[in-house]
Amino acid sequence: MISKALIQEFQKVVGSDGVFADEADRAAYSYDAAVLEPVVPGLVVRPTTAEMLSRVVRLCNENRLPLTVRGAGTNLSGGTVPRPDGVVVLTNGLNRILEINTEDLYAVVEPGVITAKFAAAVEARGLFYPPDPGSQAVSTLGGNVAENAGGLRGLKYGVTRDYVMGLEFFDAEGNLVKTGARTVKCVTGYNLAALLVGSEGTLGVIHKIILKLIPAPQHRKSMVAVFDRVSGASETVAAIIANRIVPATLEFLDNFTIRAVEAYSKAGLPVEAAALLLIEVDGHPGQVEEEAAKVEAICRERGASSIQVARTAQERDKVWEARRAALSALAKLKPTVVLEDATVPRSRIPDMVAAVEEIARRHHLTIGTFGHAGDGNLHPTILTDRRDEKEWQRVERAIDEIFDRALAMGGTLSGEHGIGLAKASFMERETTRATLDYARRIKRALDPNNILNPGKIIGDA
């Protein structure tokens, strides 16, 4: 328990309305989107200025209180599951877009800005911020940076780290650290921004982000390719990339996911299809038409039974709304949904899809597979009920095998969801003990009291 006297100290910093000590309030921040046991924190605080945030960090460090920063809590790896004796620091009070510079193509934001709102504000200025995680309607930019979030457009445009030009953050003692700049080039000192991106709040507390913007594409063309064989769809993904075509988006849905999405969204998807590829090319109008024609030809050569091209912006939006509904649609079907993040080299997508199907059959599990096939990032989604102990044991074995298969194919544990608590025990399978020891030495040097989101990624340092 955090003492009443210490709670009063936090109230002095952020005000009494910025401190939540009642158990019911604290319980609301005991979990995130990962399938893990909830942990009720000792206290929840909501700073609204940089000075408040700095003092909160300092107060936690002085009193050895574990500190977990929380944006929207949409991460899928347990990255914002707190400690029972710790403090959850909310960023929703730090939610201002400070600058959108249309001449030098950058923006400056606070960490609590909602991703989709920021993208819309940028678009209104005729510019483009590509990272688009599936949770963009509620996720925050600070959380995106902490998790190095990806999204549907990662194939062509990259992920969050590719747009972070600079950061301002507080170290474990509450001191302000600045890294990067508003300039295209900056080699002033260590690239600390790169160290912070994807560190899941374990190395610093972000308070300001400088993000790169780019010109919006002039033209887009979306299509849905329908396949009677899953292997035909997965092989088409590899063939498109092998032909040196890089679509903005190249998504895969298996039949189970198609049926769930159609029942949920009534988007007009062909429920009899074994698999769908949802594809978008963008750029100069001439280039788009040329690449779209090549993509259509490749799909037909690989066995697509039909190709539906969106003729209007409304039809295009309907396609992508359906794709973004995949997780919500699947989540309605069973009490527990485990969304995994196995990522392999793009040429191994056919092998990985087949592996997931085989694992599901052998363990008698329902797994719907969808994801960003163009960049090798699949989301095998296990539908289960954690209260069924025997089935849950099979789920855990299946997850173990999915990770092992991905690693055996030269893949990685996570393409975009992060490690958090959920995958920390698997880290040594992909890296080495020396790698983890190296990371722990960095953690101990920068956070000697181990207050910054302890236990995540590398376990307790």
Side-chain angles (χ1 to χ4, degrees):
M1 293 290 293
I2 296 177
S3 70
K4 182 175 290 188
L6 194 48
I7 291 173
Q8 290 173 344
E9 289 298 310
F10 281 104
Q11 289 173 333
K12 291 177 184 177
V13 173
V14 301
S16 58
D17 60 347
V19 174
F20 306 94
D22 292 344
E23 185 173 2
D25 289 332
R26 291 182 286 118
Y29 304 101
S30 63
Y31 58 90
D32 53 27
V35 184
L36 296 170
E37 291 297 326
V39 179
V40 179
L43 194 66
V44 178
V45 300
R46 182 179 183 268
T48 56
T49 68
E51 175 61 25
M52 287 182 185
L53 184 59
S54 171
R55 290 174 64 188
V56 165
V57 175
R58 188 172 295 121
L59 197 53
C60 287
N61 190 55
E62 290 170 352
N63 291 277
R64 307 297 193 268
L65 295 175
L67 181 159
T68 298
V69 180
R70 182 185 178 100
T74 56
N75 84 88
L76 290 146
S77 59
T80 48
V81 175
R83 289 287 177 95
D85 57 340
V87 177
V88 168
V89 179
L90 305 179
T91 63
N92 57 7
L94 298 161
N95 57 8
R96 295 178 298 160
I97 299 174
L98 300 173
E99 181 183 3
I100 296 177
N101 190 305
T102 58
E103 293 183 338
D104 294 320
L105 302 185
Y106 70 81
V108 183
V109 300
E110 291 183 322
V113 174
I114 301 297
T115 309
K117 290 182 178 179
F118 172 68
V122 168
E123 185 179 0
R125 304 288 188 90
L127 295 173
F128 187 35
Y129 179 71
D132 60 338
S135 58
Q136 63 177 348
V138 290
S139 69
T140 64
L141 290 169
N144 292 175
V145 172
E147 295 287 343
N148 191 21
L152 277 66
R153 292 190 285 253
L155 167 60
K156 180 174 182 178
Y157 290 103
V159 295
T160 300
R161 68 166 177 246
D162 300 306
Y163 296 87
V164 176
M165 298 171 67
L167 295 174
E168 292 187 13
F169 63 93
F170 297 108
D171 68 12
E173 296 179 347
N175 301 309
L176 180 62
V177 180
K178 296 183 178 182
T179 179
R182 291 163 169 79
T183 55
V184 175
K185 295 178 179 179
C186 175
V187 292
T188 305
Y190 293 129
N191 187 356
L192 300 179
L195 183 63
L196 266 286
V197 175
S199 66
E200 301 185 16
T202 61
L203 300 176
V205 178
I206 296 166
H207 108 85
K208 192 179 289 185
I209 310 164
I210 306 171
L211 293 170
K212 179 177 72 173
L213 308 176
I214 63 175
Q218 296 178 36
H219 188 56
R220 296 183 173 100
K221 195 165 191 176
S222 296
M223 65 189 77
V224 179
V226 182
F227 291 85
D228 298 327
R229 296 180 303 110
V230 171
S231 59
S234 59
E235 289 166 4
T236 299
V237 172
I240 290 171
I241 302 302
N243 276 271
R244 308 297 188 266
I245 301 170
V246 182
T249 309
L250 178 48
E251 298 289 303
F252 170 90
L253 280 74
D254 71 0
N255 178 261
F256 189 86
T257 306
I258 295 165
R259 290 178 179 274
V261 170
E262 181 57 23
Y264 179 82
S265 67
K266 302 295 188 292
L269 299 181
V271 295
E272 73 285 352
L276 298 179
L277 292 182
L278 280 56
I279 308 165
E280 181 167 282
V281 292
D282 67 4
H284 186 277
Q287 176 192 8
V288 168
E289 293 303 323
E290 181 182 343
E291 290 191 347
K294 289 181 179 178
V295 168
E296 285 190 53
I298 293 169
C299 289
R300 294 189 190 283
E301 288 170 6
R302 296 285 171 164
S305 58
S306 67
I307 299 172
Q308 304 163 9
V309 179
R311 302 299 177 187
T312 65
Q314 185 178 13
E315 289 182 4
R316 173 187 175 272
D317 291 344
K318 198 171 183 179
V319 169
W320 298 113
E321 285 169 7
R323 163 59 184 86
R324 292 188 186 281
L327 178 56
S328 298
L330 291 169
K332 288 175 64 69
L333 302 179
K334 279 291 189 78
T336 307
V337 177
V338 183
L339 179 66
E340 277 309 334
D341 189 29
T343 304
V344 295
R346 292 176 291 204
S347 62
R348 302 303 300 272
I349 281 288
D351 300 323
M352 193 65 213
V353 170
V356 171
E357 290 181 329
E358 186 273 327
I359 290 168
R361 284 194 301 270
R362 185 157 38 80
H363 290 288
H364 306 288
L365 294 171
T366 300
I367 302 181
T369 300
F370 66 96
H372 321 305
D375 56 27
N377 186 195
L378 290 175
H379 296 315
T381 305
I382 306 174
L383 307 183
T384 183
D385 185 341
R386 196 172 184 181
R387 295 167 296 185
D388 184 333
E389 292 184 10
K390 289 186 178 179
E391 183 172 82
W392 186 250
Q393 290 172 1
R394 299 201 306 275
V395 168
E396 291 183 320
R397 290 196 294 272
I399 292 170
D400 212 58
E401 290 182 23
I402 288 171
F403 288 157
D404 280 344
R405 295 286 188 93
L407 293 176
M409 294 178 194
T412 182
L413 294 171
S414 177
E416 59 185 6
H417 291 172
I419 300 300
L421 291 173
K423 299 180 184 178
S425 63
F426 294 93
M427 282 286 285
E428 196 171 327
R429 294 191 194 183
E430 179 174 343
T431 60
T432 64
R433 184 177 297 273
T435 303
L436 293 179
D437 288 343
Y438 190 90
R440 289 173 182 139
R441 290 200 297 274
I442 293 172
K443 169 71 168 170
R444 286 194 294 268
L446 297 178
D447 181 19
N449 293 326
N450 196 30
I451 67 157
L452 297 176
N453 214 13
K456 310 308 190 298
I457 306 178
I458 55 173
D460 283 317

